[in-house]
Amino acid sequence: MIVFGIFTFESSRKATQEMDTQSCRDNELQKNQECCCRAEMKKPDVPTNGIKHGLRKGKQEDGQHWIAGYVDTPVGRIPRIETTLQFKDRLGSWKARWSIGRMDYAVDPGLYAVGDPDPKSPVFVSANYKMSFDVLRSHLKGMSAWVLVLDTKGINVWCAAGKGTFGTDEIVNRIQQTGLSEVISHRTIIVPQLGAPGVSAHRVKEQSGYRVIYGPVRASDIPPFVENHFKTTPEMRIVQFGLIDRLVLTPIEIVSWGRRMFWGKHGLVLILMLLLVSGLDRSGFALKKVLILGPEALLMYAAAFLCGTFFTPLLLPWLPGRALSVKGAFLGLLVVLGVGWYRWGAPGGLGVKVNILAWLFLLPTISSFIAVTFVGATTYTSLSGVFKEMKRAVPAYIATTIIGVVLLVFGQFA
Amino acid sequence: MAGLTYLKSVVTLELSADQCTGCRMCTTVCPHDVFVIKEKRARIVNRDACMECGACAQNCPGDAISVRSGLCGCASIFIRGQKHGRMTRYFFRMWGYEV
């Protein structure tokens, strides 16, 4: 249970530091703090009115490379953005995937131009997470359009929509602040479909007079969507969770769980404890034993980590069960059974066998627990499902952790 | 999405057909193809595929749809990101104890 205790402690501190008064639709669940989707709410910076553009906070010097000139409009000069991603953009996305500079990877909200837009050109709405912005602009090649970037505090469209920052109010405000109505003659905006959980099309219409058209889920479907007279086909509306979609999410799992389990403060404590336990002996403590059993224990620990952070997301559709906890536990079990099959008869007598039994409880628990936290990154899990799953899984985790730890210690003296 | 469906019969999605205006907005915004329009009324056909994102309820002009939405209601709400002790309280509430 130490593991769980530490997580609670760490998180609670973070949360109190970064509490935000973001309103949420469900009072019971305040969906406003640090989340797997990096949706750690921040206080907004100086309010931007659509005139100042570029990256925020000291990133000005290299943040403008995607602006290629300006377009004159009745509300002033609007930056024209590149539609070809440069190495810098790809590197930035890659770094964000690995949690490097991810919390400050944002562009300024406001109005941008693509190509040579005129008052009749379509308006695409996006979030101010740089990766979202990049994906959108890279699929507007050869088009003339306007891009209205909302202030989502540097969070992607879907997660921001879930928290209401990509929402009706922000759209209405941003339309007013940028003076969009003076720039364009029509009154239609194209909102990504995944923004719909935060946006209420009929309320936007009521409050601003603008009609919301929901565009495709994937930005890559924008060219066919435009060709199809701004209508989505059923395929464009379905969200997928393919191998690549899952694969790109694993780095952030590895980094965030690696911090908790290995190189973070609490991770180091856990590892130290693991090494200490592996040195326990009938005579008390033997350093020699640490050198032999320590690496073995760390390997099992690392295997649990890899099962949960990498292999479960990767093999998701092929693992048995619907619950992610089951999927994660299954993979962990496979590993222990494999190791057990190989090591059961190894010299060392009862101690080895009890040790394997201990990991039979511990390893699946760890990998299952990590796997459960992946629900926040998936595109198909429901909150009610998570409730149900946690309700059953947590007592099991508590039990297996206690049994596992007892066996682990007992095995040292056997 | 073949192969990936979450737990069965847990979803809180409710549709009251009386209030449905047949505007098709739910079919437009749903990322999992949960609704179809039949006889000018929306119907839930793919209930277990619902991920409770709340897009349909937000965009229903007739307020015909209700769902306890929690798009980012990931497990982290249980683990981190809450005020001190909040997680413990969640757990107690889950098993029916009022704290």
Side-chain angles (χ1 to χ4, degrees):
Chain A
M1 268 343 288
I2 301 151
V3 186
F4 298 117
I6 286 171
F7 290 149
T8 337
F9 175 68
E10 181 186 33
S11 50
S12 51
R13 232 181 14 176
K14 236 184 230 162
T16 33
Q17 276 166 10
E18 284 158 17
M19 272 294 275
D20 196 327
T21 48
Q22 204 61 41
S23 68
C24 56
R25 273 174 275 143
D26 193 331
N27 284 334
E28 194 197 354
L29 304 167
Q30 297 209 335
K31 304 171 278 185
N32 54 357
Q33 283 96 30
E34 188 195 359
C35 199
C36 30
C37 60
R38 70 175 292 282
E40 197 166 11
M41 288 302 172
K42 286 180 160 189
K43 291 248 158 57
D45 288 339
V46 187
T48 46
N49 53 13
I51 291 163
K52 190 180 139 276
H53 287 280
L55 277 175
R56 294 178 187 178
K57 276 195 216 161
K59 300 210 172 154
Q60 235 48 327
E61 67 278 4
D62 65 305
Q64 306 271 355
H65 67 268
W66 39 270
I67 294 180
Y70 292 86
V71 177
D72 282 313
T73 68
V75 295
R77 292 197 319 163
I78 298 289
R80 178 187 287 135
I81 53 179
E82 293 264 14
T83 53
T84 308
L85 296 186
Q86 294 177 15
F87 175 70
K88 273 181 196 169
D89 301 314
R90 294 180 201 282
L91 183 70
S93 293
W94 183 85
K95 276 161 75 180
R97 293 281 190 203
W98 284 96
S99 191
I100 305 165
R102 184 166 168 249
M103 292 303 164
D104 206 20
Y105 198 50
V107 293
D108 273 339
L111 191 62
Y112 296 87
V114 176
D116 277 306
D118 59 27
K120 287 188 186 120
S121 300
V123 180
F124 291 92
V125 180
S126 184
N128 78 328
Y129 183 34
K130 174 99 186 331
M131 211 191 285
S132 310
F133 180 70
D134 280 357
V135 169
L136 174 63
R137 68 191 173 97
S138 68
H139 288 102
L140 295 178
K141 243 177 222 114
M143 265 182 241
S144 286
W146 303 99
V147 173
L148 184 68
V149 176
L150 303 185
D151 185 6
T152 59
K153 321 270 185 282
I155 288 158
N156 71 72
V157 172
W158 213 5
C159 287
K163 292 176 164 62
T165 35
F166 189 104
T168 309
D169 295 346
E170 173 59 16
I171 289 185
V172 173
N173 284 340
R174 201 54 55 185
I175 287 173
Q176 276 172 1
Q177 284 191 11
T178 52
L180 184 65
S181 304
E182 290 170 51
V183 179
I184 57 170
S185 57
H186 61 85
R187 291 292 175 264
T188 306
I189 50 173
I190 298 154
V191 175
Q193 190 197 317
L194 294 185
V199 179
S200 184
H202 55 281
R203 288 194 192 100
V204 172
K205 177 85 182 168
E206 267 168 35
Q207 292 171 26
S208 68
Y210 277 79
R211 188 162 78 96
V212 170
I213 295 181
Y214 285 110
V217 165
R218 286 166 299 276
S220 54
D221 282 335
I222 288 177
F225 163 77
V226 172
E227 260 172 52
N228 197 22
H229 307 286
F230 299 98
K231 283 194 177 70
T232 51
T233 61
E235 297 79 57
M236 290 179 193
R237 298 198 288 258
I238 303 296
V239 73
Q240 305 286 345
F241 201 43
L243 188 71
I244 302 294
D245 298 331
R246 299 193 303 270
L247 194 68
V248 296
L249 293 170
T250 54
I252 204 74
E253 293 286 305
I254 290 171
V255 172
S256 55
W257 279 100
R259 199 179 294 135
R260 287 178 204 125
M261 286 177 66
F262 292 97
W263 54 84
K265 217 187 324 175
H266 306 306
L268 290 175
V269 171
L270 282 172
I271 287 182
L272 197 69
M273 275 165 43
L274 207 59
L275 290 177
L276 281 178
V277 168
S278 67
L280 289 178
D281 201 307
R282 276 187 193 166
S283 59
F285 183 82
L287 198 63
K288 224 162 92 184
K289 223 175 161 184
V290 177
L291 294 177
I292 303 164
L293 293 179
E296 277 178 21
L298 283 183
L299 268 180
M300 294 302 262
Y301 186 68
F305 165 76
L306 279 180
C307 278
T309 56
F310 184 73
F311 289 105
T312 308
L314 198 71
L315 304 173
L316 208 61
W318 304 290
L319 292 172
R322 284 166 178 262
L324 279 134
S325 51
V326 174
K327 288 175 188 281
F330 175 82
L331 212 54
L333 268 179
L334 271 192
V335 171
V336 185
L337 290 180
V339 172
W341 185 64
Y342 182 72
R343 297 255 312 147
W344 191 254
L350 190 63
V352 174
K353 292 188 171 69
V354 177
N355 189 271
I356 291 169
L357 278 179
W359 284 107
L360 188 68
F361 285 95
L362 289 177
L363 202 149
T365 305
I366 300 172
S367 73
S368 169
F369 190 70
I370 299 173
V372 163
T373 64
F374 192 62
V375 293
T378 63
T379 62
Y380 70 100
T381 51
S382 61
L383 184 63
S384 302
V386 177
F387 267 118
K388 188 179 178 186
E389 184 169 349
M390 293 302 272
K391 225 168 164 172
R392 291 176 179 191
V394 170
Y397 291 156
I398 294 171
T400 50
T401 308
I402 292 172
I403 297 171
V405 169
V406 168
L407 282 174
L408 199 65
V409 174
F410 177 72
Q412 295 296 320
F413 302 103
Chain B
M1 197 161 47
L4 279 174
T5 34
Y6 201 38
L7 310 186
K8 272 184 179 171
S9 322
V10 286
V11 171
T12 54
L13 181 68
E14 293 298 336
L15 168 72
S16 93
D18 302 343
Q19 283 160 272
C20 178
T21 59
C23 72
R24 295 179 172 270
M25 210 55 182
C26 50
T27 60
T28 306
V29 295
C30 179
H32 287 293
D33 219 2
V34 169
F35 300 93
V36 289
I37 303 287
K38 263 194 186 153
E39 290 146 14
K40 294 185 180 170
R41 291 275 187 281
R43 262 195 220 173
I44 299 171
V45 286
N46 213 354
R47 198 185 177 78
D48 286 337
C50 173
M51 62 174 293
E52 300 185 326
C53 73
C56 50
Q58 274 282 315
N59 286 280
C60 181
D63 275 332
I65 303 172
S66 73
V67 59
R68 176 179 65 175
S69 70
L71 185 59
C72 228
C74 31
S76 30
I77 58 167
F78 295 95
I79 305 153
R80 52 191 166 150
Q82 292 297 340
K83 265 197 263 180
H84 194 74
R86 188 75 68 83
M87 184 185 89
T88 336
R89 258 179 279 156
Y90 268 136
F91 284 135
F92 275 107
R93 273 200 205 126
M94 265 191 335
W95 288 290
Y97 297 101
E98 209 40 59
V99 196

